[in-house]
Amino acid sequence: MAKLSNRFWFQLHGWFSLPIWLIFCFVCLTGTIAVFSHELTWLTNPAARATNPDNLPAKPVAELVARVQQAYPTADVGSVMVFEPYLVNAVMFTDHDKPFAIAYVNQYSGDIQQINQGMTFINFMRSLHGWLLFPWQSGYSVGYYLVSAMALVMLGALITGLIIYKNFWRSFTQPKIRLHQGKKTVLTDLHRMAGVWSIWFLMVMSATGLWYLVQAVMWHADIDIEPHAPIVAVSDVPSTAATPPVDFAAAMQLAQQRFPDFQPSFLMLPEHNRGMYTLMGGGDHIFYDQYSYNLSINPWTGEIAHQKSPQTMTALQTVMHIADPLHYGTLGGIWTKAIWFLFGLMLSGMSVTGFMIWGSRTVKAVRDSRTAANLQEVPDGAK
């Protein structure tokens, strides 16, 4: 009975990932690369580097926006993205000859180092990993569902793997890889040891992936986790003024005054006369993402119409804003990214070794069955 039970769990362990092995491996690999997408951008694109040989302080974001508007007088700046100090700020705008463009502005010198009119490497890798570049329609993407459902595969493989591998904790105290007992033994030892050492990582990826799946269902069902940004009341818009009295620089000062530790990350300018400044940023909270602060500021009155911070979040909003740092390893900077990258490679390798183990077992089973069939076909007198 015990042998039958072990065989059942082993087969279940394999079937959790084998039917979608290629997709699972691809998601693991692209996620591993996405962890270092910012660093790879810095490495491969000199125009994205925020060089600062004179150790100048970073200029206010509003000044960088003004530089873009001076260089392109007819441009309509929509938003700004602020990355790590070693990457330039990205000012997104449209113009009569540019349906969508991104100005790479060095925040220390104020120079516009490049105009990008295509998809960036960072966005490409996050999109490829997040929803496999499937299109979004009616608030959902089939690819997003497919990728987030990998959490179920991962969790099932983790649980069944621990049931199969008796006394798995010995891999912490007595790790072993038997190099001289054949390829199958080496692959099994590598697969088991990587799995045991990655238990914490598998649990984190499973938990965050399950949240992304729940989030996808809520988006699809039009359930708002966070309220939409408010719009300016008609009574606040004067009939004579053409330009709001509260400019972008003043809005940024209001945000800094409201949250002294506010570190801007994504800033949206009003799209029309009833639009507001929507300012998102992070703070000194290690487990929250770079959008944990959110303010909507009325450009006509200077009123903070809406604000959100870690202290005022609901339970669902809290989960939403701690999922990404845990999933991509950004909560501790470059060092945690390196750890996540290493274990991401281990997870990708586990999917490969698991498939190779299954393949070798399958080939052996087919060979043995053919041998048995051939022996049965031989006449008794010839045996």
Side-chain angles (χ1 to χ4, degrees), residues 50-340:
T51 54
N52 187 20
D54 299 325
N55 293 322
L56 300 172
K59 299 181 183 297
V61 180
E63 184 176 334
L64 304 182
V65 172
R67 294 286 183 99
V68 174
Q69 291 174 329
Q70 291 172 3
Y72 300 92
T74 59
D76 183 13
V77 176
S79 56
V80 183
M81 293 194 72
V82 180
F83 302 102
E84 289 87 349
Y86 54 82
L87 288 177
V88 296
N89 288 6
V91 179
M92 287 164 276
F93 67 96
T94 60
D95 207 345
H96 64 277
D97 59 343
K98 297 177 180 64
F100 176 78
I102 305 174
Y104 291 179
V105 188
N106 189 315
Q107 62 268 32
Y108 305 109
S109 65
D111 296 335
I112 300 174
Q113 299 181 173
Q114 186 181 34
I115 299 296
N116 186 344
Q117 297 188 61
M119 179 177 283
T120 66
F121 178 74
I122 296 172
N123 288 338
F124 174 76
M125 286 310 307
R126 291 296 177 98
S127 301
L128 184 62
H129 172 67
W131 51 89
L132 304 176
L133 299 180
F134 276 69
W136 285 80
Q137 52 186 358
S138 302
Y140 77 97
S141 168
V142 174
Y144 194 93
Y145 274 117
L146 187 60
V147 172
S148 55
M150 294 298 106
L152 299 173
V153 172
M154 197 179 304
L155 185 61
L158 171 62
I159 294 173
T160 54
L162 293 179
I163 293 174
I164 295 167
Y165 189 14
K166 309 298 183 183
N167 303 323
F168 64 87
W169 53 86
R170 290 179 180 173
S171 287
F172 292 116
T173 58
Q174 302 173 9
K176 62 178 180 180
I177 300 177
R178 294 164 289 182
L179 299 175
H180 304 292
Q181 297 187 24
K183 182 179 73 172
K184 178 182 174 182
T185 302
V186 173
L187 290 175
T188 301
D189 288 346
L190 286 171
H191 188 78
R192 287 178 173 177
M193 190 170 70
V196 171
W197 281 86
S198 301
I199 289 176
W200 69 272
F201 187 73
L202 288 165
M203 293 176 65
V204 170
M205 294 299 106
S206 298
T208 52
L210 286 174
W211 162 250
Y212 294 141
L213 182 59
V214 171
Q215 185 175 250
V217 173
M218 296 181 72
W219 284 343
H220 199 171
D222 292 328
I223 299 174
D224 293 328
I225 302 174
E226 293 185 336
H228 294 284
I231 61 175
V232 176
V234 176
S235 58
D236 289 341
V237 182
S239 57
T240 56
T243 303
V246 180
D247 60 11
F248 186 38
M252 290 296 296
Q253 290 179 356
L254 288 171
Q256 205 70 56
Q257 291 171 4
R258 180 62 187 88
F259 299 118
D261 61 336
F262 179 78
Q263 299 169 9
S265 60
F266 186 66
L267 314 167
M268 296 178 61
L269 282 68
E271 295 181 358
H272 45 77
N273 61 359
R274 294 190 63 190
M276 293 196 181
Y277 295 106
T278 302
L279 311 179
M280 305 180 195
D284 295 333
H285 306 276
I286 184 173
F287 287 107
Y288 289 86
D289 63 13
Q290 70 271 32
Y291 309 113
S292 55
Y293 288 122
N294 190 325
L295 302 98
S296 296
I297 299 177
N298 190 322
W300 300 99
T301 64
E303 172 196 5
I304 299 178
H306 169 75
Q307 59 183 344
K308 181 201 68 185
S309 67
Q311 290 76 16
T312 61
M313 288 182 185
T314 65
L316 284 179
Q317 290 172 352
T318 299
V319 174
M320 180 179 179
H321 286 281
I322 66 175
D324 272 9
L326 290 174
H327 193 77
Y328 290 102
T330 58
L331 66 170
I334 187 67
W335 297 110
T336 51
K337 283 186 178 183
I339 295 172
W340 260 244

